[in-house]
Amino acid sequence: MKKQQTIEQRVSALRNAMKERSIDAYIIYSEDGHLGEYTPACWKGREWISGFNGSAGKVVVTQNKAGLWTDSRYFLQATQQLEGTPITLYKEDVAGFPTFEEFLTEELKKGEVVGLDGTCVSQSSIETLGKRLQAFELNLNTQYDLLQNVWEDRPAIPRNPFREQPVEYSGESTKDRVERLRKELTKKGANATIMVTLDEVCWAFNIRSNDVDYNPVGVGYGIITQDEAVLFTFAEKVPAALQKTLKENGVKVKPYEEVVSYISNLGPSVRLFVDKNKINGTLYRSIPTHVAIVEGFSIVSLQKSYKNKTEIACIHKAMHADGVALTRFFMWFEEALHKGETPTEYEIEGILNSFRAKNPDFIGDSFSTICGYNGHGAIVHYHATPESSYTIENKGVLLLDSGGQYKYGTTDITRTIALGNEEPDPNLKKDYTLVLKGHISLATAQFPEGTRGNQLDILARKALWDQGLSFGHGTGHGVGVALNVHEGPQNFRTDNNPTPMAINTFTSNEPGLYRANKWGIRIENLVLTIEKCQTEFGKFLGLETVTLCFLDNRLVDKSLLTEKEITWYNEYQALVYRELSPLLEEREANWLKKKTMPL
């Protein structure tokens, strides 16, 4: 067996490749050729070159230096994984550390060249970086994947077969969906668009696969014009029956590698709708100069965010399936701890998965479970490993953030649970209740049509801000239906997002609070945006909570809640029992009844 290259050997090989191409610095991003959040092994170049396997970061290599830039979630992990390598950790947003752009402008001389693989970077990022470098008379080259010839034993692009997502789950035929997108293109003054992200491709063509961890998507590009719709993928990914179905719905299948030449040959009558955040640099560079470009936010992502009646029914079905699994898990967990069992955080991830997997429609987890016991709960994106895991005892507090992919829907839920028989710490109860107040405030919001998520975000934070407390992550993200657990464009965040909340969009509501080395608290339900009323002042919208899982009464300080908040809480607990108890065995239903008693 050939000996694996060391990190030092990999960096050295890359430097030699850089010399051959006259590139003075090379950047390796975390994204892949489809700009995805979760990256197949063949595109994990940043991890390969550095050994750092966190979800965010970039590596910059010059002939004399090499650095990794990542955020505070990964400082400890990166320090450990970079030890003994020639790569230095540069902490993002920390005083005394340059940004990677500042590093480049400080290390390089005028006229020198910065390289990156344009296939794995969005056109908008390329343009932003190019302008920054241009100010210092540095050049940007996006043509070369320099890892291609230096990465020994590089995995192949995954080629798992696609499967049809039936109309009983999607609520719309592929033919009708494509026609809807064509009408939206016309409204924008365009007649064609390119789909790069895998969730857009799979949604538009009603297909699913398992090429990417946690997301039921497959590798491929898509193009829709007024005359044809094309799926670019590998032949072995499209079984004969699916190819027949796609053809019947007006979708052609072409080889994956032909997407660049197809774009290069677009005619002068094409008016191409482009979202520069959703197209990689290589494809953008292949657009002929005679093609008119119409810029805007991806119409596919926007249309995908509007759930139809069938998809909404499937959301509710998934919530019932997940609620049953979670009830049974938490019941088992409580009983196991009372018996003296002490599972680890890492073991809990597998055990919870096994409860969901009892449902025949379960496909897999929708993301990597976050199971944080006591102080580990304060690490927002903590992921337990066998080495890092705490042993869970029948005392303290557990934060459990998990989700499931079902054939018809996607779930994402966080519960914070008090363990053991002792009365929870009063400070913990206060913190929990302040988070709960924010959760309820957002869940019960009524707002004019056209209101943006960043305008509503304050509702989830005000109870905390009033006490001089806060949390650093977003309050909510869009969620797909049997697709990616993170999708746009709507969200609840402090960042300015021009996309308004719209009827039938599906979003998370997850405020939190984190005390280092003590506990983490997060309460997450998924909500549908619905119409509430119409008055002389216009249409008003609200949020319908759809997640079905009990909240822990023991952590609530009732004295901190208003009557309106107590009413919402008790009605939610009653809803959970009413919807789930008919699906449970008698003993399970009795257990859940005790958990959902009114405050």
Side-chain angles (χ1 to χ4, degrees):
M1 179 182 290
K2 190 173 183 179
K3 192 174 181 180
Q4 192 177 34
Q5 293 167 288
T6 65
I7 300 298
E8 188 170 4
Q9 288 170 333
R10 296 171 190 179
V11 172
S12 178
L14 175 59
R15 283 174 172 152
N16 290 334
M18 290 162 57
K19 286 179 182 178
E20 293 174 5
R21 296 289 189 179
S22 299
I23 290 174
D24 303 288
Y26 196 72
I27 310 171
I28 305 170
Y29 290 79
S30 299
E31 290 79 15
D32 58 36
H34 297 271
L35 309 178
E37 177 184 5
Y38 293 94
T39 305
C42 61
W43 280 301
K44 291 184 178 180
R46 189 221 60 213
E47 180 178 335
W48 176 82
I49 196 71
S50 67
F52 169 68
N53 62 4
S55 67
K58 58 185 69 66
V59 167
V60 178
V61 177
T62 69
Q63 290 299 331
N64 302 309
K65 295 183 179 180
L68 167 76
W69 278 257
T70 192
D71 61 57
S72 59
R73 295 173 295 169
Y74 299 111
F75 290 166
L76 178 60
Q77 177 182 338
T79 298
Q80 294 170 343
Q81 293 182 329
L82 295 180
E83 185 177 359
T85 75
I87 299 175
T88 301
L89 171 62
Y90 290 86
K91 299 178 179 180
E92 291 181 346
D93 301 321
V94 174
F97 289 92
T99 65
F100 83 97
E101 297 98 334
E102 290 170 342
F103 173 87
L104 290 168
T105 59
E106 291 167 2
E107 293 295 320
L108 300 183
K109 301 172 185 176
K110 291 181 180 180
E112 291 192 318
V113 178
V114 176
L116 56 85
D117 178 9
T119 302
C120 295
V121 185
S122 71
Q123 179 61 22
S124 62
S125 295
I126 289 171
E127 291 182 5
T128 299
L129 177 60
K131 289 177 182 177
R132 173 70 170 153
L133 297 178
Q134 190 176 33
F136 289 84
E137 298 182 45
L138 298 173
N139 300 311
L140 182 61
N141 185 323
T142 65
Q143 296 182 51
Y144 303 119
D145 175 7
L146 293 186
L147 299 186
Q148 188 60 40
N149 295 322
V150 301
W151 185 348
E152 297 180 359
D153 302 320
R154 185 174 190 172
I157 295 175
R159 303 186 184 195
N160 297 303
F162 282 112
R163 63 182 182 275
E164 180 185 1
Q165 185 70 352
V167 175
E168 66 181 287
Y169 299 152
S170 67
E172 188 177 22
S173 71
T174 302
K175 181 178 180 180
D176 289 343
R177 191 159 279 180
V178 169
E179 283 303 316
R180 172 150 64 100
L181 292 172
R182 284 176 175 147
K183 290 177 182 177
E184 292 301 317
L185 286 170
T186 300
K187 292 178 185 178
K188 299 291 185 182
N191 56 22
T193 194
I194 302 168
M195 294 176 289
V196 173
T197 63
L198 303 183
D199 59 328
E200 288 192 357
V201 174
C202 287
W203 177 84
F205 296 147
N206 275 335
I207 53 178
R208 300 292 189 271
S209 187
N210 61 331
D211 284 345
V212 181
D213 291 341
Y214 308 115
N215 303 322
V217 296
V219 172
Y221 294 105
I223 290 180
I224 294 175
T225 71
Q226 290 301 327
D227 301 318
E228 62 180 358
V230 185
L231 168 64
F232 295 89
T233 191
F234 300 98
E236 58 266 42
K237 288 183 60 60
V238 187
L242 177 59
Q243 182 142 1
K244 181 175 181 291
T245 299
L246 289 171
K247 184 177 181 180
E248 290 171 350
N249 281 271
V251 179
K252 298 177 181 178
V253 179
K254 293 181 180 291
Y256 182 77
E257 299 84 0
E258 289 186 10
V259 64
V260 171
S261 62
Y262 184 98
I263 295 171
S264 300
N265 287 302
L266 291 173
S269 64
V270 172
R271 297 182 58 81
L272 187 65
F273 189 91
V274 172
D275 181 344
K276 288 185 177 179
N277 290 307
K278 292 273 190 174
I279 186 171
N280 66 49
T282 298
L283 295 189
Y284 188 86
R285 193 172 63 243
S286 69
I287 300 171
T289 55
H290 61 249
V291 168
I293 293 178
V294 180
E295 289 189 40
F297 183 85
S298 168
I299 63 164
V300 183
S301 283
L302 193 61
Q303 293 300 310
K304 176 163 58 68
S305 73
Y306 306 145
K307 314 310 180 192
N308 60 41
K309 290 181 180 180
T310 299
E311 289 172 317
I312 291 171
C314 285
I315 287 170
H316 287 294
K317 185 177 181 179
M319 295 304 156
H320 283 80
D322 217 48
V324 167
L326 286 161
T327 300
R328 289 172 173 162
F329 163 78
F330 279 119
M331 181 176 169
W332 165 86
F333 185 49
E334 181 177 274
E335 293 175 349
L337 292 179
H338 282 312
K339 291 176 185 176
E341 295 181 30
T342 54
T344 67
E345 297 166 326
Y346 180 77
E347 290 169 338
I348 287 297
E349 179 176 348
I351 294 168
L352 176 54
N353 176 280
S354 72
F355 274 90
R356 285 190 167 109
K358 291 175 183 177
N359 187 311
D361 294 327
F362 179 71
I363 295 171
D365 292 341
S366 60
F367 59 95
S368 179
T369 296
I370 298 170
C371 180
Y373 178 54
N374 289 342
H376 275 173
I379 304 171
V380 177
H381 291 277
Y382 173 71
H383 177 63
T385 65
E387 297 75 27
S388 73
S389 270
Y390 282 165
T391 296
I392 301 171
E393 302 178 51
N394 198 27
K395 61 182 179 180
V397 62
L398 183 78
L399 184 154
L400 188 61
D401 187 349
S402 70
Q405 292 284 9
Y406 297 85
K407 291 178 181 178
Y408 36 75
T410 303
T411 69
D412 182 1
I413 176 174
T414 309
R415 286 296 181 265
T416 306
I417 303 292
L419 308 179
N421 296 319
E422 296 179 7
E423 179 68 15
D425 185 320
N427 294 313
L428 170 62
K429 291 180 67 174
K430 180 180 179 181
D431 282 353
Y432 181 90
T433 308
L434 292 174
V435 173
L436 176 63
K437 286 173 73 71
H439 180 92
I440 295 173
S441 183
L442 184 56
T444 56
Q446 182 167 296
F447 46 92
E449 188 173 35
T451 301
R452 303 186 303 276
N454 61 300
Q455 293 173 305
L456 298 169
D457 186 78
I458 175 61
L459 298 174
R461 299 175 187 268
K462 187 178 185 303
L464 293 168
W465 286 2
D466 287 346
Q467 302 291 320
L469 305 171
S470 191
F471 57 94
H473 56 77
T475 301
H477 54 83
V479 180
V481 178
L483 267 177
N484 296 1
V485 75
H486 294 151
E487 73 169 24
Q490 84 287 351
N491 57 33
F492 301 118
R493 300 184 69 89
T494 54
D495 313 63
N496 185 34
N497 179 353
T499 305
M501 300 302 296
I503 294 173
N504 294 340
T505 54
F506 186 32
T507 316
S508 67
N509 171 7
E510 49 181 311
L513 183 62
Y514 309 92
R515 302 276 191 182
N517 303 315
K518 288 186 177 181
W519 54 66
I521 297 162
R522 189 159 62 251
I523 302 170
E524 178 184 17
N525 285 332
L526 302 185
V527 295
L528 276 173
T529 304
I530 59 174
E531 181 177 339
K532 295 285 284 187
C533 64
Q534 289 200 45
T535 72
E536 67 269 32
F537 296 97
K539 185 182 294 184
F540 283 76
L541 311 183
L543 302 172
E544 175 194 351
T545 297
V546 295
T547 298
L548 296 170
C549 183
F550 70 94
L551 297 164
D552 192 348
N553 288 354
R554 295 177 59 210
L555 286 172
V556 180
D557 183 344
K558 186 177 177 181
S559 69
L560 297 176
L561 297 179
T562 65
E563 285 303 314
K564 179 182 176 182
E565 290 166 341
I566 293 170
T567 297
W568 181 93
Y569 185 93
N570 288 338
E571 287 179 351
Y572 176 73
Q573 295 284 70
L575 172 71
V576 170
Y577 178 75
R578 185 169 65 250
E579 292 294 319
L580 295 184
S581 57
L583 306 175
L584 298 168
E585 296 178 2
E586 183 178 0
R587 189 172 79 92
E588 297 164 342
N590 290 336
W591 182 88
L592 180 61
K593 188 170 186 177
K594 294 177 183 177
K595 293 297 180 182
T596 55
M597 294 295 289
L599 293 175

